């Protein structure tokens, strides 16, 4: 489940709990007030206890229930992210600094910086999560592959391939062209060069 729909569902649930608690509190307050007005000075403090709970208990209970729901959701919210979303999705290639490999041997030749511009395909594949890499790699190796062939090579379901291709297409890493009842998938111009 994505976070946005889950946030909406929990928000609606919290709104319902707060609204129901508010209505119950108001009703209890109105009942308490009506009893106090009808009994007048004859009523002592022990008499009011038999006519229902204090409205303040409804308010406290409502806040406890809403706080519990919100707290539990806050704790488990991070686990609701789809497995297709990874922190690597949010990395901007322009912000990645050049990495310098280090050598274990002291007598080895000096390390040269790796230029991401020299091999953008390898750099992009390194940054992607495994499921997206399994879809993009066949596209890079054989541009124009159909989504059906892509499904067979990646060993994903039809919907998983479609979802992953759409995600990669939105980020500009590949594009699709309709061919009959399927699509042909091509790497973006930046990756192809």
């Amino acid at each position: 489940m994505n976070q946005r729909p889950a946030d909406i569902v929990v928000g609606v649930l919290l709104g319902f709990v707060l609204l129901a608690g508010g209505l119950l509190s108001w009703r209890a307050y109105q009942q308490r007030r009506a009893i106090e007005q009808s009994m007048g000075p004859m009523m002592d403090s022990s008499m009011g206890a038999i006519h229902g709970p204090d409205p303040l208990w409804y308010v406290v209970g409502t806040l406890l229930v809403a706080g519990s729901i919100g707290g539990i959701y806050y704790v488990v919210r991070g686990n609701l992210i789809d497995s297709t979303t990874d922190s690597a999705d949010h990395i901007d290639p322009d912000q990645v600094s050049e990495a310098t490999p280090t050598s274990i041997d002291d007598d080895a030749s000096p390390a040269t910086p790796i230029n991401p511009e020299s091999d953008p395909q390898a750099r992009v594949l390194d940054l992607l999560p495994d499921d997206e890499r399994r879809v993009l790699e066949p596209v890079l190796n054989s541009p124009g592959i159909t989504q059906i062939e892509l499904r067979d090579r990646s060993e994903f379901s039809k919907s998983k391939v479609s979802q992953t291709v759409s995600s990669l297409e939105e980020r500009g890493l590949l594009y699709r062209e309709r061919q009959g009842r399927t699509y042909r998938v091509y790497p973006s111009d930046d990756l192809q060069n």
Side-chain angles (χ1 to χ4, degrees), residues 81-89 124-139 150-151 153-157 159-165 167-168 171 174:
I81 301 174
D82 279 338
S83 62
T84 59
T85 306
D86 193 1
S87 61
D89 292 348
V124 168
L125 288 174
D126 286 342
L127 293 175
L128 291 176
D130 183 54
D131 55 346
E132 291 181 348
R133 189 179 312 120
R134 284 173 51 186
V135 169
L136 186 59
E137 207 165 19
V139 173
L150 196 55
R151 183 184 66 204
R153 287 194 193 177
S154 66
E155 298 177 355
F156 285 139
S157 67
S159 62
K160 175 71 173 177
V161 169
S162 178
Q163 180 184 18
T164 306
V165 167
S167 173
L168 291 169
R171 293 194 313 236
L174 50 82

Side-chain angles (χ1 to χ4, degrees), residues 95-173:
Q95 295 177 348
V96 176
S97 63
E98 294 182 358
T100 56
T102 57
S103 176
I104 296 175
D105 299 332
D106 291 332
D107 58 309
S109 63
T112 58
I114 296 175
N115 184 1
E117 299 299 322
S118 65
D119 191 9
Q121 289 181 357
R123 185 70 179 152
V124 168
L125 288 174
D126 286 342
L127 293 175
L128 291 176
D130 183 54
D131 55 346
E132 291 181 348
R133 189 179 312 120
R134 284 173 51 186
V135 169
L136 186 59
E137 207 165 19
V139 173
L140 293 173
N141 293 336
S142 47
I145 188 172
T146 64
Q147 271 191 222
I148 296 169
E149 293 169 335
L150 196 55
R151 183 184 66 204
D152 295 338
R153 287 194 193 177
S154 66
E155 298 177 355
F156 285 139
S157 67
K158 182 179 179 181
S159 62
K160 175 71 173 177
V161 169
S162 178
Q163 180 184 18
T164 306
V165 167
S166 294
S167 173
L168 291 169
E169 187 176 28
E170 286 174 6
R171 293 194 313 236
L173 296 173

